[in-house]
Amino acid sequence: MKHLITLVALALLSVTTYAHNFNSEPPAKKMKATSVQHIVLFKFKPETTPAKLKEILDAFQALPSKIKEIKDLKWGTNNSPENHAHGLTHGFVLTFDSEKDRDAYLPHPAHKEFGTIVGPWIADLTVLDFTDQAK
């Protein structure tokens, strides 16, 4: 009987371990040593309508299809409980393989066109770029 309980316990342990690993997210991929994260934070003017905001967001999300140097785009609205956003409401993180690719993006006609769409509606803007220095 003691052996049966041990076998059942081991079987349950292996099943729960397998289930945990099966449902786990894949480990995050480390950036290339030269990758650049381009972070853009927007605060929109109060008169920005939901329809205008949707147009702006759609235009930003279309940039990777127009600019080959953009390797990834993530974005979202602020949900931090820390109250340090200074009115910034929307954040975007664009990934480039290198500073050279980021530098090609900045004057790109599609990026300039996006600037004409978003520019009149921006109350404040913060941009920060970095290359991963984590070991």
Side-chain angles (χ1 to χ4, degrees):
M1 182 70 166
K2 193 175 189 180
H3 294 298
L4 182 59
I5 292 172
T6 302
L7 285 174
V8 169
L10 287 173
L12 285 173
L13 179 62
S14 66
V15 167
T16 57
T17 300
Y18 173 77
H20 172 73
N21 289 337
F22 182 75
N23 292 323
S24 294
E25 296 275 332
K29 292 182 181 175
K30 185 161 173 53
M31 292 170 37
K32 290 182 179 181
T34 59
S35 291
V36 173
Q37 299 296 299
H38 177 71
I39 301 169
V40 182
L41 306 172
F42 289 137
K43 174 182 178 181
F44 291 100
K45 292 179 180 177
E47 61 269 21
T48 307
T49 65
K52 181 51 73 175
L53 186 57
K54 181 180 180 338
E55 177 188 338
I56 291 166
L57 297 174
D58 288 347
F60 206 128
Q61 291 179 91
L63 288 177
S65 68
K66 298 176 179 182
I67 304 173
K68 69 178 172 44
E69 287 82 6
I70 299 173
K71 299 305 176 196
D72 191 36
L73 167 67
K74 292 179 172 49
W75 75 274
T77 56
N78 178 44
N79 62 10
S80 173
E82 295 181 287
N83 199 27
H84 295 294
H86 307 285
L88 298 162
T89 58
H90 290 73
F92 300 82
V93 180
L94 292 90
T95 302
F96 299 92
D97 280 343
S98 65
E99 288 182 15
K100 180 182 171 191
D101 284 355
R102 186 265 327 268
D103 294 347
Y105 156 81
L106 294 173
H108 192 284
H111 181 234
K112 295 294 186 188
E113 179 184 349
F114 173 73
T116 65
I117 294 168
V118 71
W121 304 99
I122 295 298
D124 197 6
L125 166 71
T126 297
V127 176
L128 182 125
D129 295 354
F130 72 88
T131 301
D132 186 14
Q133 296 181 26
K135 301 283 183 215

